[in-house]
Amino acid sequence: MRECKVLGIESSCDETAAAVVSNGREVLSNVISSQIDIHTLYGGVVPEIASRKHIERINQVIEEALEQAGTPLEEIDAISVTYGPGLVGALLVGVGEAKALAYAAGKPLVGVHHIEGHIAANYLEHEDLEPPFLCLVVSGGHTHLVQVKSYDKFQIVGCTHDDAAGEAFDKVARAIGLGYPGGPKIDRVAKEGNPSAIEFPRAKISGSEFDFSFSGVKSAVLNYLNQCEMKGEAVNQADVAASFQQAVVDVLVGRAIAAARQLGEGRIAVAGGVAANSSLRGQMRQACQEAGITLYYPSPVYCTDNAAMIAAQGYYEYMAGVRSGWDLNAVPNLKIGQR
Ligand code: KG4
Ligand code: ZN
């Protein structure tokens, strides 16, 4: 088979990223310029600053990605870019850049859904993983159980009714004084705490067995902190982090295994920033082993936002004949499976 190299571009939130991936599977380069330092000053992502930083960095990030891959733009087969969901101003930087490059170099342009990219991150290191499989998508903005029917066909079987899992991590981290970005900090601090110290609720949604809700556990943590303050009791940060994390992980693992069993899926992949969580990875591993299910998850660098995942998904869509026009626009609330 002739080698097909796709340049991926990602700018949906606070990472400016570009990557070159060969045949949807082999990462030739993966450059990520994170804006975390700047947004940390404000306790979260400031959309206007994110857009400005993307503009400042995107050319250099793409140049580096091509150089590290040893692939000049002329040798790239297609350019793929995240066009939604995400922050509109941030997305527009990547989309505008990808259109300009594709037009100038005469290359095909493929718009990619950010979450479908997160799912495709699993192809980068698992040669044997091919659809169909079940994917637990857990990011800062999304919590979904998705049946991946083929490389470009998706069916949502469960989703959150309120906060996304990552959003709950970020809000609880802020409440217990860990700051932004919350997920990795809770993950680290929880290792020193007792996950059964405080019983936080595991929400059940009436009527939909594979749906999620995380606003209840978040409120329960806030109430607990208030009560401690009123009683003048010291808060054990590590115990709160570990107990909160356990409540979230219990629900994610329980729903994913139940859905796989009911749908007859023998394989589960985990994707998105929260897939980097060490407790989620460990407990999914154990639960899948007990249930006879094969588990896949990406290395941490491919769990959080990156462009290699966009190039991987872009490759499969390019092979399926998807081409975006010069009118490709940012779609901040793009739905999975929508074109
Ligand atoms: O996928 P991602 O990079 O961006 C979105 O598409 O949203 O996910 C970012 C989210 C943040 O909420 C962050 O706190 C969370 O993923 N996250 C983690 C960990 N690393 C990142 N949550 C829990 N444990 C982690 N180790
Ligand atoms: Zn993401």
Side-chain angles (χ1 to χ4, degrees), residues 10 12-13 85 114-115 118 139-142 272-273 303-306 309:
E10 156 64 40
S12 66
C13 190
H114 181 75
I115 297 299
H118 272 301
S139 74
H142 295 80
C303 287
T304 45
D305 289 350
N306 66 87
M309 66 184 200

PDB file of all heavy atoms in Angstrom, residues 10 12-13 85 114-115 118 139-142 272-273 303-306 309, ligand 2:
ATOM      1  N   GLU A  10      -5.111  21.117  15.246  1.00  0.00           N
ATOM      2  CA  GLU A  10      -6.095  21.155  16.341  1.00  0.00           C
ATOM      3  C   GLU A  10      -5.946  22.473  17.106  1.00  0.00           C
ATOM      4  O   GLU A  10      -4.842  22.826  17.538  1.00  0.00           O
ATOM      5  CB  GLU A  10      -5.835  19.941  17.261  1.00  0.00           C
ATOM      6  CG  GLU A  10      -6.303  20.042  18.698  1.00  0.00           C
ATOM      7  CD  GLU A  10      -7.813  20.155  18.879  1.00  0.00           C
ATOM      8  OE1 GLU A  10      -8.551  19.472  18.156  1.00  0.00           O
ATOM      9  OE2 GLU A  10      -8.229  20.941  19.749  1.00  0.00           O
ATOM     10  N   SER A  12      -9.065  23.640  19.159  1.00  0.00           N
ATOM     11  CA  SER A  12     -10.448  23.845  19.632  1.00  0.00           C
ATOM     12  C   SER A  12     -10.543  24.456  21.024  1.00  0.00           C
ATOM     13  O   SER A  12     -11.554  25.012  21.399  1.00  0.00           O
ATOM     14  CB  SER A  12     -11.215  22.531  19.598  1.00  0.00           C
ATOM     15  OG  SER A  12     -10.673  21.625  20.526  1.00  0.00           O
ATOM     16  N   CYS A  13      -9.458  24.332  21.813  1.00  0.00           N
ATOM     17  CA  CYS A  13      -9.528  24.871  23.175  1.00  0.00           C
ATOM     18  C   CYS A  13      -8.223  25.588  23.521  1.00  0.00           C
ATOM     19  O   CYS A  13      -7.946  26.645  22.967  1.00  0.00           O
ATOM     20  CB  CYS A  13      -9.863  23.747  24.148  1.00  0.00           C
ATOM     21  SG  CYS A  13     -10.263  24.343  25.801  1.00  0.00           S
ATOM     22  N   PRO A  85     -16.620  20.162  18.030  1.00  0.00           N
ATOM     23  CA  PRO A  85     -17.073  21.292  18.826  1.00  0.00           C
ATOM     24  C   PRO A  85     -15.898  21.952  19.542  1.00  0.00           C
ATOM     25  O   PRO A  85     -14.807  21.382  19.577  1.00  0.00           O
ATOM     26  CB  PRO A  85     -18.034  20.640  19.832  1.00  0.00           C
ATOM     27  CG  PRO A  85     -17.537  19.235  19.976  1.00  0.00           C
ATOM     28  CD  PRO A  85     -16.884  18.867  18.665  1.00  0.00           C
ATOM     29  N   HIS A 114     -13.955  16.937  16.751  1.00  0.00           N
ATOM     30  CA  HIS A 114     -12.968  16.812  17.825  1.00  0.00           C
ATOM     31  C   HIS A 114     -13.114  15.499  18.629  1.00  0.00           C
ATOM     32  O   HIS A 114     -12.119  14.836  18.932  1.00  0.00           O
ATOM     33  CB  HIS A 114     -13.099  18.023  18.756  1.00  0.00           C
ATOM     34  CG  HIS A 114     -12.134  18.041  19.888  1.00  0.00           C
ATOM     35  ND1 HIS A 114     -10.803  18.357  19.727  1.00  0.00           N
ATOM     36  CD2 HIS A 114     -12.288  17.766  21.196  1.00  0.00           C
ATOM     37  CE1 HIS A 114     -10.199  18.287  20.892  1.00  0.00           C
ATOM     38  NE2 HIS A 114     -11.076  17.927  21.814  1.00  0.00           N
ATOM     39  N   ILE A 115     -14.342  15.145  18.951  1.00  0.00           N
ATOM     40  CA  ILE A 115     -14.562  13.945  19.769  1.00  0.00           C
ATOM     41  C   ILE A 115     -14.287  12.673  18.960  1.00  0.00           C
ATOM     42  O   ILE A 115     -13.741  11.694  19.483  1.00  0.00           O
ATOM     43  CB  ILE A 115     -16.000  13.934  20.340  1.00  0.00           C
ATOM     44  CG1 ILE A 115     -16.198  15.136  21.266  1.00  0.00           C
ATOM     45  CG2 ILE A 115     -16.303  12.633  21.072  1.00  0.00           C
ATOM     46  CD1 ILE A 115     -15.284  15.195  22.461  1.00  0.00           C
ATOM     47  N   HIS A 118     -10.753  12.246  19.306  1.00  0.00           N
ATOM     48  CA  HIS A 118     -10.373  11.609  20.576  1.00  0.00           C
ATOM     49  C   HIS A 118     -10.521  10.084  20.480  1.00  0.00           C
ATOM     50  O   HIS A 118      -9.662   9.338  20.961  1.00  0.00           O
ATOM     51  CB  HIS A 118     -11.245  12.127  21.725  1.00  0.00           C
ATOM     52  CG  HIS A 118     -10.708  13.375  22.377  1.00  0.00           C
ATOM     53  ND1 HIS A 118      -9.459  13.420  22.964  1.00  0.00           N
ATOM     54  CD2 HIS A 118     -11.245  14.606  22.540  1.00  0.00           C
ATOM     55  CE1 HIS A 118      -9.264  14.637  23.463  1.00  0.00           C
ATOM     56  NE2 HIS A 118     -10.319  15.383  23.214  1.00  0.00           N
ATOM     57  N   SER A 139     -14.121  13.759  28.372  1.00  0.00           N
ATOM     58  CA  SER A 139     -13.231  14.912  28.197  1.00  0.00           C
ATOM     59  C   SER A 139     -13.720  16.060  29.073  1.00  0.00           C
ATOM     60  O   SER A 139     -14.586  15.877  29.920  1.00  0.00           O
ATOM     61  CB  SER A 139     -13.212  15.319  26.716  1.00  0.00           C
ATOM     62  OG  SER A 139     -14.413  15.960  26.394  1.00  0.00           O
ATOM     63  N   GLY A 140     -13.162  17.255  28.837  1.00  0.00           N
ATOM     64  CA  GLY A 140     -13.571  18.410  29.626  1.00  0.00           C
ATOM     65  C   GLY A 140     -14.984  18.871  29.277  1.00  0.00           C
ATOM     66  O   GLY A 140     -15.687  19.427  30.109  1.00  0.00           O
ATOM     67  N   GLY A 141     -15.408  18.621  28.052  1.00  0.00           N
ATOM     68  CA  GLY A 141     -16.716  19.093  27.622  1.00  0.00           C
ATOM     69  C   GLY A 141     -17.713  17.987  27.330  1.00  0.00           C
ATOM     70  O   GLY A 141     -18.886  18.258  27.117  1.00  0.00           O
ATOM     71  N   HIS A 142     -17.261  16.724  27.289  1.00  0.00           N
ATOM     72  CA  HIS A 142     -18.136  15.628  26.868  1.00  0.00           C
ATOM     73  C   HIS A 142     -18.003  14.390  27.736  1.00  0.00           C
ATOM     74  O   HIS A 142     -16.895  14.070  28.175  1.00  0.00           O
ATOM     75  CB  HIS A 142     -17.810  15.227  25.418  1.00  0.00           C
ATOM     76  CG  HIS A 142     -18.120  16.310  24.444  1.00  0.00           C
ATOM     77  ND1 HIS A 142     -17.274  17.367  24.243  1.00  0.00           N
ATOM     78  CD2 HIS A 142     -19.196  16.523  23.666  1.00  0.00           C
ATOM     79  CE1 HIS A 142     -17.818  18.186  23.366  1.00  0.00           C
ATOM     80  NE2 HIS A 142     -18.978  17.705  22.993  1.00  0.00           N
ATOM     81  N   GLY A 272     -10.323  10.741  25.508  1.00  0.00           N
ATOM     82  CA  GLY A 272     -10.531  12.081  26.075  1.00  0.00           C
ATOM     83  C   GLY A 272      -9.615  12.322  27.265  1.00  0.00           C
ATOM     84  O   GLY A 272      -9.015  11.382  27.806  1.00  0.00           O
ATOM     85  N   GLY A 273      -9.534  13.574  27.686  1.00  0.00           N
ATOM     86  CA  GLY A 273      -8.593  13.965  28.739  1.00  0.00           C
ATOM     87  C   GLY A 273      -8.682  13.138  30.011  1.00  0.00           C
ATOM     88  O   GLY A 273      -7.659  12.755  30.605  1.00  0.00           O
ATOM     89  N   CYS A 303      -4.377  11.215  25.104  1.00  0.00           N
ATOM     90  CA  CYS A 303      -5.703  11.343  25.741  1.00  0.00           C
ATOM     91  C   CYS A 303      -6.148  12.792  25.708  1.00  0.00           C
ATOM     92  O   CYS A 303      -7.267  13.113  25.326  1.00  0.00           O
ATOM     93  CB  CYS A 303      -5.651  10.892  27.205  1.00  0.00           C
ATOM     94  SG  CYS A 303      -5.497   9.119  27.423  1.00  0.00           S
ATOM     95  N   THR A 304      -5.260  13.694  26.128  1.00  0.00           N
ATOM     96  CA  THR A 304      -5.604  15.123  26.125  1.00  0.00           C
ATOM     97  C   THR A 304      -5.442  15.657  24.690  1.00  0.00           C
ATOM     98  O   THR A 304      -4.964  14.949  23.808  1.00  0.00           O
ATOM     99  CB  THR A 304      -4.713  15.888  27.119  1.00  0.00           C
ATOM    100  OG1 THR A 304      -3.374  15.443  26.956  1.00  0.00           O
ATOM    101  CG2 THR A 304      -5.134  15.609  28.547  1.00  0.00           C
ATOM    102  N   ASP A 305      -5.846  16.919  24.485  1.00  0.00           N
ATOM    103  CA  ASP A 305      -5.926  17.431  23.120  1.00  0.00           C
ATOM    104  C   ASP A 305      -4.588  17.377  22.385  1.00  0.00           C
ATOM    105  O   ASP A 305      -3.557  17.792  22.916  1.00  0.00           O
ATOM    106  CB  ASP A 305      -6.459  18.874  23.144  1.00  0.00           C
ATOM    107  CG  ASP A 305      -7.928  18.912  23.504  1.00  0.00           C
ATOM    108  OD1 ASP A 305      -8.556  17.836  23.535  1.00  0.00           O
ATOM    109  OD2 ASP A 305      -8.453  20.009  23.756  1.00  0.00           O
ATOM    110  N   ASN A 306      -4.637  16.872  21.164  1.00  0.00           N
ATOM    111  CA  ASN A 306      -3.441  16.751  20.328  1.00  0.00           C
ATOM    112  C   ASN A 306      -3.907  16.707  18.876  1.00  0.00           C
ATOM    113  O   ASN A 306      -5.110  16.579  18.609  1.00  0.00           O
ATOM    114  CB  ASN A 306      -2.659  15.481  20.706  1.00  0.00           C
ATOM    115  CG  ASN A 306      -3.431  14.213  20.394  1.00  0.00           C
ATOM    116  OD1 ASN A 306      -3.368  13.697  19.289  1.00  0.00           O
ATOM    117  ND2 ASN A 306      -4.217  13.709  21.362  1.00  0.00           N
ATOM    118  N   MET A 309      -4.403  12.712  16.801  1.00  0.00           N
ATOM    119  CA  MET A 309      -5.722  12.068  16.763  1.00  0.00           C
ATOM    120  C   MET A 309      -6.584  12.649  15.632  1.00  0.00           C
ATOM    121  O   MET A 309      -7.390  11.944  15.033  1.00  0.00           O
ATOM    122  CB  MET A 309      -6.420  12.221  18.126  1.00  0.00           C
ATOM    123  CG  MET A 309      -6.780  13.645  18.501  1.00  0.00           C
ATOM    124  SD  MET A 309      -7.479  13.729  20.174  1.00  0.00           S
ATOM    125  CE  MET A 309      -8.338  15.320  20.111  1.00  0.00           C
TER     126      MET A 309
HETATM  127 ZN    ZN B   2     -10.502  17.330  23.691  1.00  0.00          ZN
END
